[in-house]
């Protein structure tokens, strides 16, 4: 099976790829505006068929042993590894991200996730059996929840498909995934790889459609027992509202506005390089990307100068060029949204470098046909300004000074979001305080961005709740059942007196 053959359509239901019954849609390469694929989107019947397929497959898959599910996921990891080059190429074509990022981050991270959940599938933890009441033996079972409806974003299509699918099916659930309609191709490749790995038809289904139609239908479907959503906080609220109507379990990984706190004893060179990498990864289209750098005043000027110098040296260019550091943003619409944030900021802040759509790449390549935007550094913005508080989701870093530690940590927490953060210091006591007091689901010390399969990813506050990756994620996709056995064989028990009185 050629994983890159999309001629059969952009829906994957019950082990078969098919066209949707909705409107035609073009998937566009944002580097040059060329059409990568023409597909038809999902209609109401496609969502219905996908949920029905997942429901039909549930008894067999949830009833399989953890060992059997583990073996299938191990085969899946091997199949994904074998297709690594194709996955990276298609991921870059549909998103515009540099091939280096696809090859060195997205694809190996996905393979590692599959390998991790192959092991985690055999570790459904519960409290040990014991006579906790004295007259009964109790134990805890972890069981599958049912059909999971998941909605994934466009910024890391392959990895987000993995983050949604792998823990769900490792725990014995079946799933219907709705990827972003502008970047569905590697999600379809992932689903086809599942079939090749021997995962039964209907366990993994993909419907490619618009959020307001296919997404809302999936979230509202009465046969969907759990909803997992990654995307903006505004849309996450809508997902939660729809899921509440049928009392579904929800898992929401929402927006972020990660602070990057640099104390005056930090290694300045490390902090500058870390800020550039953490703010520009994936074009800044990362909910954990560094967006707000708070720098203690003694280092502030040198930090701004250092970041500006490195920003100016970033090589923008064709995504398939291995020398390219930064490709286009995911679409022209999104590029214009990011640019509008910066243009509005000019009225109250200083754009130190960037703030424009470049015309030429690092090698002279014409970039005007692509959705490119230069790395942009902003200073002088107020803490309550839009560019500090709002999720820009592009290659834009705002730097603000602070004086004492109390102020720096207060500013770091002063947004509605709480997904990720970092603290830069050589003082162990400062680092311990920062990791304790910053309200975020992940706090790095002297680094920013690295994630690993064994550790959880998820937010506080308006960044949502629930965890991706790790054993904690597997637990999210299970129901806890308490099982209790009488051990006395006594027909009339003492507690019956609460009902029967003296009889």
């Amino acid at each position: 099976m050629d994983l890159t053959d999309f001629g059969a359509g952009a829906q994957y239901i019950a082990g078969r790829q098919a066209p949707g019954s909705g409107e035609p849609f073009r998937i566009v390469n944002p580097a040059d505006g060329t059409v990568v694929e023409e597909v038809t989107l999902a209609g109401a019947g496609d969502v219905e068929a996908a949920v029905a397929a997942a429901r039909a497959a549930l008894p067999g898959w949830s009833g399989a042993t953890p060992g059997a599910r583990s073996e299938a996921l191990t085969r899946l990891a091997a199949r994904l590894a074998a297709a690594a080059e194709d996955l990276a190429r298609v991921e870059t074509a549909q998103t515009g991200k540099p091939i280096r990022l696809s090859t060195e981050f997205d694809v190996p991270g996905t393979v590692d996730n599959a390998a991790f959940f192959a092991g985690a599938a055999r570790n459904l933890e519960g409290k040990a059996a014991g006579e906790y009441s004295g007259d009964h033996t109790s134990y805890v079972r972890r069981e599958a929840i049912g059909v999971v409806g998941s909605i994934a974003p466009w910024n890391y299509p392959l990895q987000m498909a993995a983050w949604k699918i792998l823990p769900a099916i490792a725990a014995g659930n079946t799933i219907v995934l709705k990827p972003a309609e502008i970047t569905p191709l590697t999600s379809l490749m992932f689903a086809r790889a599942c079939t090749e790995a021997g995962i039964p038809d209907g366990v993994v289904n993909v419907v490619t459609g618009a959020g307001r139609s296919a997404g809302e239908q999936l979230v509202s479907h009465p046969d969907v027992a759990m909803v997992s959503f990654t995307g903006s906080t505004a849309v996450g609220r809508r997902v939660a509202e729809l899921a509440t109507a049928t009392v579904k379990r929800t898992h929401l990984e929402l927006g972020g506005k990660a602070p990057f706190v640099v104390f005056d004893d930090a290694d300045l060179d490390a902090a500058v390089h870390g800020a550039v990498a953490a703010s520009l990864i994936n074009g800044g289209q990362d909910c954990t990307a560094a967006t707000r750098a708070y720098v203690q005043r003694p280092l502030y000027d040198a930090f701004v100068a250092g970041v500006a110098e490195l920003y100016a040296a970033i090589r923008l260019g064709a995504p398939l060029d291995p020398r390219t550091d930064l490709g286009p943003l995911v679409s022209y619409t999104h590029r214009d949204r990011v640019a509008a944030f910066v243009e509005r900021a000019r009225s109250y802040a200083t754009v130190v470098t960037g703030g424009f759509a470049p015309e030429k790449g690092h090698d002279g390549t014409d970039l005007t046909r692509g959705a490119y935007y230069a790395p942009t550094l902003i200073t002088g913005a107020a803490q309550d300004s839009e560019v500090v508080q709002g999720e820009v989701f592009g290659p834009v870093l705002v730097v603000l000074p602070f004086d004492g530690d109390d102020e720096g940590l207060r500013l770091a927490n002063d947004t509605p979001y709480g997904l990720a953060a970092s603290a830069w210091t050589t003082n162990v006591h400062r680092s311990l305080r920062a990791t304790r007091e910053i309200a975020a689901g992940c706090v790095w010390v002297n680094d920013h961005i690295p994630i690993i399969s064994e550790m959880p990813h998820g937010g506080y506050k308006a960044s949502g709740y629930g965890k991706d990756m790790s054993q904690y994620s597997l637990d999210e996709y299970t129901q806890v059942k308490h099982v209790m056995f009488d051990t006395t064989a006594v027909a009339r028990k003492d507690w019956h007196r609460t009902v029967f009185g003296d009889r």
Side-chain angles (χ1 to χ4, degrees):
M1 182 186 294
D2 179 4
L3 297 185
T4 65
D5 180 5
F6 304 107
Q11 319 302 322
Y12 198 84
I13 300 171
R16 289 173 292 282
Q17 201 163 331
S21 58
E23 297 296 315
F25 188 81
R26 289 180 172 180
I27 298 164
V28 174
N29 186 331
D32 56 14
T34 57
V35 176
V36 181
E37 289 288 339
E38 293 193 36
V39 301
T40 49
L41 298 180
D46 302 308
V47 176
E48 198 67 42
V51 173
R55 186 179 182 188
L58 181 64
W61 184 248
S62 63
T65 64
R69 293 198 292 266
S70 174
E71 289 173 3
L73 289 173
T74 298
R75 294 191 298 269
L76 174 61
R79 182 68 191 96
L80 293 171
E85 186 175 338
D86 286 341
L87 287 165
R89 177 174 53 80
V90 174
E91 190 77 334
T92 286
Q94 67 179 351
T95 63
K97 66 178 64 189
I99 192 65
R100 280 206 324 264
L101 183 64
S102 295
T103 302
E104 299 177 20
F105 184 75
D106 296 62
V107 174
T110 300
V111 173
D112 186 69
N113 259 256
F116 171 81
F117 280 107
R122 306 185 78 145
N123 187 33
L124 294 174
E125 290 187 339
K127 199 166 187 178
E131 287 72 51
Y132 299 105
S133 80
D135 293 336
H136 305 83
T137 292
S138 286
Y139 65 86
V140 169
R141 289 175 55 89
R142 283 194 176 272
E143 299 180 348
I145 295 171
V147 176
V148 177
S150 287
I151 300 176
W154 47 255
N155 56 337
Y156 291 102
L158 177 62
Q159 288 206 83
M160 293 299 100
W163 285 18
K164 298 300 183 191
I165 292 170
L166 291 168
I169 67 173
N173 303 284
T174 56
I175 188 168
V176 178
L177 173 74
K178 193 205 84 66
E181 64 270 27
I182 63 173
T183 56
L185 301 181
T186 47
S187 297
L188 292 165
M189 294 171 72
F190 192 101
R192 294 177 76 171
C194 288
T195 298
E196 288 193 351
I199 295 172
D201 293 348
V203 172
V204 175
N205 307 275
V206 175
V207 290
T208 300
R212 291 221 174 251
S213 52
E216 294 205 357
Q217 183 185 355
L218 180 61
V219 171
S220 304
H221 200 290
D223 290 338
V224 171
M226 175 180 173
V227 171
S228 178
F229 170 80
T230 296
S232 72
T233 298
V235 178
R237 291 192 183 100
R238 175 62 175 162
V239 169
E241 176 187 347
L242 292 170
T244 298
T246 46
V247 199
K248 302 182 194 303
R249 183 180 297 196
T250 54
H251 166 260
L252 303 175
E253 200 267 85
L254 307 177
K257 191 71 179 174
F260 187 101
V261 185
V262 183
F263 294 96
D264 58 12
D265 64 340
D267 180 326
L268 179 62
D269 188 52
V272 167
H273 281 80
V276 172
S279 61
L280 299 184
I281 187 169
N282 203 39
Q285 300 166 125
D286 185 312
C287 48
T288 63
T291 59
R292 301 176 289 137
Y294 296 101
V295 184
Q296 204 153 15
R297 209 169 292 275
L299 296 184
Y300 177 81
D301 289 340
F303 179 89
V304 170
V307 171
E309 181 181 358
L310 288 182
Y311 267 17
I314 292 295
R315 295 172 299 195
L316 284 86
L320 289 176
D321 182 346
R323 297 170 298 170
T324 292
D325 299 321
L326 196 66
L329 300 185
V330 75
S331 69
Y332 306 101
T333 299
H334 186 63
R335 191 268 310 277
D336 293 345
R337 176 185 176 277
V338 170
F341 263 97
V342 176
E343 291 309 306
R344 291 191 296 270
R346 291 184 194 276
S347 66
Y348 56 79
T350 299
V351 177
V352 177
T353 187
F356 63 91
E359 296 182 356
K360 297 291 183 182
H362 64 89
D363 59 355
T365 305
D366 180 14
L367 302 183
T368 57
R369 295 194 326 175
Y372 289 87
Y373 199 73
T376 300
L377 180 64
I378 295 176
T379 61
Q383 174 66 15
D384 62 356
S385 63
E386 179 193 46
V387 78
V388 173
Q389 294 291 326
E391 191 175 22
V392 180
F393 222 61
V396 178
L397 177 66
V398 184
V399 187
L400 299 89
F402 71 91
D403 291 305
D405 291 15
D406 290 351
E407 181 188 15
L409 295 174
R410 177 181 61 78
L411 292 171
N413 283 329
D414 184 27
T415 71
Y417 301 106
L419 186 58
S422 63
W424 297 75
T425 176
T426 55
N427 184 303
V428 65
H429 302 292
R430 267 179 162 168
S431 67
L432 288 170
R433 181 186 177 190
T435 57
R436 182 177 66 250
E437 294 187 13
I438 293 176
C442 174
V443 181
W444 293 281
V445 177
N446 296 327
D447 208 345
H448 193 116
I449 285 297
I451 55 174
I452 52 175
S453 297
E454 290 81 0
M455 287 291 111
H457 173 85
Y460 286 19
K461 303 190 293 184
S463 291
Y465 49 82
K467 300 300 179 185
D468 290 310
M469 299 193 299
S470 80
Q471 186 69 35
Y472 296 95
S473 178
L474 187 72
D475 293 347
E476 296 273 352
Y477 290 89
T478 63
Q479 299 193 93
V480 173
K481 177 185 286 183
H482 169 217
V483 178
M484 192 178 225
F485 291 88
D486 170 65
T487 60
T488 66
V490 173
R492 297 187 178 183
K493 297 176 172 61
D494 287 345
W495 74 265
H496 291 179
R497 289 177 300 168
T498 60
V499 177
F500 291 114
D502 295 331
R503 287 175 289 168

